[in-house]
Amino acid sequence: MKKLGLLPKLIIAIIIGILIGSFGPQWSVRVLATFNGIFGNFLGFAIPLIIIGFVAPGIGDLGDGAGKLLAITAGIAYGSTILSGSLAYFAGSIILPTFLKLGSLSLNAANPEEALLTGFFTVEMPPIFDVMTALLLAFTLGLGIAAIKGDTLKKFMNDFQEIIEKLINSIVIPLLPFHIAGIFANMTYAGQVVTILSVFSKVFLMVIALHIITLVIQFFIGGTIAGGNPIRMLKNMIPAYLTAIGTQSSAATIPVTLAQTKKNGVKDDIADFVIPLCATIHLSGSTITLVSCSMAIMMLNGMAISFVSFFPFILMLGITMVAAPGVPGGAVIAALGLLETMLGFPQPMLSLMIALYVAQDSFGTATNVTGDGAIALMVNKISGNKLVK
């Protein structure tokens, strides 16, 4: 089992959960519900720490290369992320209602357990502070680290980031399959799993289509600005796309992304700067997936959706996911606090969001890294360089 990736483990967990919910005794579902309650409370405790552990060092590290090139690259990457999230919102608002039955789930009841079995007991784990406080503290620390250029606080935050990454790698990620098994066992027992599985497949297809459209737009703009053939340049990036699908990590794909970007004619020093930076700050594919999945879950639960409420969420996603851990599902773990505070997701919906996101995570990562090549083309031209033949 240790050799299996997270996605195969989650698929196995979903199957086991459905079997337990269909054929297991009620007490077995309640045992899993007890675990889910404890795990969910622990996740609630950890979310503010995760935000500080990722966002503060991520913003602080941007100060290392402070200058015009950094500002240009970060601005283009953030703009690309925001535009991709907005595209996902408008596409989802048109497409999702055509195959979703609005309000067909009951996970957003005032008391979510009204639709699901309760655990035998709960263990309260109140967070040290709320999510908004964590975000403000992370921004303050990150900007402060970049401004004073001091090593003491920066080293402390980097060490703290390592602790949080250990927490995610050693506790959260390994226990996720059990958590997802419990969620699906409970939903199956409540007669809701057919709806969820139907949504999984249809949302997946919509998200992949949006990823492809986004990449075509990015390379059309990047290729046109750089003075090259957009289709040929996008084709050259296919090895990076396929590598990212296999590794599910932007960081692990950097060598391939670099090689293919240079093949597209980007000057070496520009590529060497832009690609590693964008691997942590450019998240167009992940944002598309998060926005699409969250909209689907909200519609299923009969929650009101508007661009006025979603756009601030998209703006915050582009910041909160900076330097998300290089593990499968890292972006959604970093975004849980925003889903809870800005969109009003209760614990059962957060758990479902994790499952729905991770199933598509590798394709989001592949879109992120492939789009990095388009940003490099733009920065190369803005910096006054022509494509290397």
Side-chain angles (χ1 to χ4, degrees), residues 95-96 99-100 197-207:
I95 299 171
L96 290 175
F99 61 81
L100 294 184
L197 292 179
S198 173
V199 169
F200 265 46
S201 58
K202 293 173 182 175
V203 173
F204 183 88
L205 292 176
M206 185 190 82
V207 167

Side-chain angles (χ1 to χ4, degrees), residues 6 9-10 12-14 16-18 20 29 31-44 47 113 116 171-187 332-333 336 346-356 358:
L6 181 59
K9 288 180 182 178
L10 289 186
I12 294 171
I14 289 171
I16 292 174
I18 292 173
I20 292 174
V29 179
V31 167
L32 289 173
T34 304
F35 169 80
N36 281 359
I38 296 172
F39 183 81
N41 287 343
F42 175 76
L43 209 53
I47 284 171
E113 282 76 18
L116 304 171
I171 298 177
V172 176
I173 297 297
L175 291 180
L176 268 182
F178 299 97
H179 188 48
I180 299 303
I183 288 291
F184 273 81
N186 219 333
M187 288 193 303
V332 72
I333 297 296
L336 290 178
Q347 188 55 51
M349 287 174 61
L350 290 176
S351 304
L352 192 56
M353 183 71 189
I354 293 171
L356 189 53
V358 170

